[in-house]
């Protein structure tokens, strides 16, 4: 017996197939499937402290915080925090790229496009080849941080300084999370620097020439 043409499939089956195709084509590193351990679940249930409240522990091995008296670092960080304010709370949606729902690689792409006029690839698999590799203890604001959590997808976010990164979480949507959280530390993969902060700041949409 020959296979039926897709046109003869029931409408619900066609829609399900289209949804699966969208997920495959999106190629986004969906935010990790959150852990079941009580310590890690508690982390996702609590509110994150404001970065404006003071210096927080940095992931740098020497224990030194980033020097935000450096104008380039400070301005890039502010641009990223402004982006967080615009996107915070946006729900996670695999394949999404708007305020109605967005996935992790689309958020990274939109932030760099809207704030630095830089066109990054759409997928995490492509973003991981951008720029130059960076050691975890040498992270600067604007670096991309990548994770390999359990499941089919990798994950990506943007380092904003003082141990925090901006990303789209499946559980809470767009949020700031701590690199030193036990879950993210366990699944940390690598970091890339698309552009030096001094170059990024010159591309910010509010740069004063």
């Amino acid at each position: 017996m020959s296979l039926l043409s897709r046109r003869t499939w029931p409408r619900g089956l066609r829609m399900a197939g289209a949804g699966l195709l969208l997920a495959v084509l999106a190629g986004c590193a969906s935010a990790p499937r959150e852990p079941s351990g009580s310590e890690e679940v508690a982390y996702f249930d609590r509110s994150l402290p404001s970065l404006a409240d003071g210096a927080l522990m940095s992931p740098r091995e020497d224990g030194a915080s980033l020097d935000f008296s450096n104008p380039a670092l400070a301005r890039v960080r502010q641009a990223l925090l402004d982006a967080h304010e615009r996107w915070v709370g946006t729900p996670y949606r695999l394949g999404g790229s708007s305020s109605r729902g967005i996935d992790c690689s689309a958020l990274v792409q939109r932030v760099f496009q809207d704030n630095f006029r830089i066109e990054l690839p759409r997928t995490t698999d492509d973003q991981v080849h951008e720029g130059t590799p960076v050691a975890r203890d040498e992270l600067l604001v604007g670096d991309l941080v990548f994770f390999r959590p359990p499941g089919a997808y990798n994950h990506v976010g943007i380092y904003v300084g003082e141990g925090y990164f901006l990303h789209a979480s499946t559980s809470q949507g767009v949020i700031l999370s701590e690199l030193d959280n036990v879950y993210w530390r366990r699944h940390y993969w690598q970091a890339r620097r698309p552009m030096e902060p001094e170059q990024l700041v010159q591309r910010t949409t509010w740069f004063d020439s």
Side-chain angles (χ1 to χ4, degrees):
M1 183 176 68
S2 61
L3 293 175
L4 294 175
S5 166
R6 284 192 301 177
R7 294 182 179 178
T8 65
W9 292 357
R11 184 172 183 272
L13 186 56
R14 294 201 308 270
M15 293 180 66
L20 178 60
L21 179 61
L22 174 63
V24 172
L25 292 178
C28 170
S30 68
R33 297 172 185 175
E34 277 69 23
S36 57
S38 59
E39 178 182 4
E40 296 172 73
V41 170
Y43 166 75
F44 287 102
D45 288 339
R46 67 180 175 83
S47 297
L48 291 169
S50 169
L51 290 179
D53 290 340
L56 301 169
M57 183 171 292
S58 167
R60 296 169 65 90
E61 290 180 354
D62 58 10
S65 294
L66 294 175
D67 179 13
F68 288 113
S69 63
N70 179 318
L73 292 178
R75 298 190 76 168
V76 172
R77 179 176 186 252
Q78 187 57 55
L80 293 173
L81 294 181
D82 289 346
H84 167 256
E85 290 300 313
R86 290 194 298 273
W87 288 97
V88 65
T90 300
Y92 177 89
R93 182 167 68 86
L94 182 62
S97 59
S98 72
S99 59
R100 295 188 298 273
I102 196 165
D103 62 34
C104 63
S105 58
L107 177 67
V108 168
Q109 185 187 51
R110 288 292 306 271
V111 169
F112 272 80
Q113 181 182 59
D114 296 345
N115 293 272
F116 306 115
R117 294 172 288 188
I118 294 174
E119 297 291 336
L120 291 180
R122 171 64 178 83
T123 69
T124 302
D125 286 346
D126 289 330
Q127 290 174 358
V128 77
H129 299 295
E130 290 294 299
T132 57
V134 179
R136 191 180 187 277
D137 62 340
E138 295 178 351
L139 287 170
L140 295 177
V141 291
D143 288 347
L144 305 184
V145 286
F146 295 88
F147 305 86
R148 279 181 164 169
Y153 301 105
N154 295 322
H155 188 60
V156 63
I158 308 170
Y159 188 63
V160 301
E162 298 300 335
Y164 281 84
F165 68 102
L166 172 64
H167 68 125
S169 159
T170 55
S171 61
Q172 296 186 25
V174 177
I175 58 171
L176 293 172
S177 294
E178 291 176 282
L179 274 177
D180 280 337
N181 167 260
V182 62
Y183 182 80
W184 297 115
R185 178 179 284 278
R186 178 184 305 161
H187 299 295
Y188 182 85
W189 176 21
Q190 63 172 291
R192 306 285 296 191
R193 182 166 299 158
M195 192 172 288
E196 294 294 331
E198 291 78 10
Q199 296 172 296
L200 283 178
V201 75
Q202 294 182 37
R203 302 181 66 92
T204 56
T205 53
W206 42 270
F207 178 72
D208 295 328
S209 57

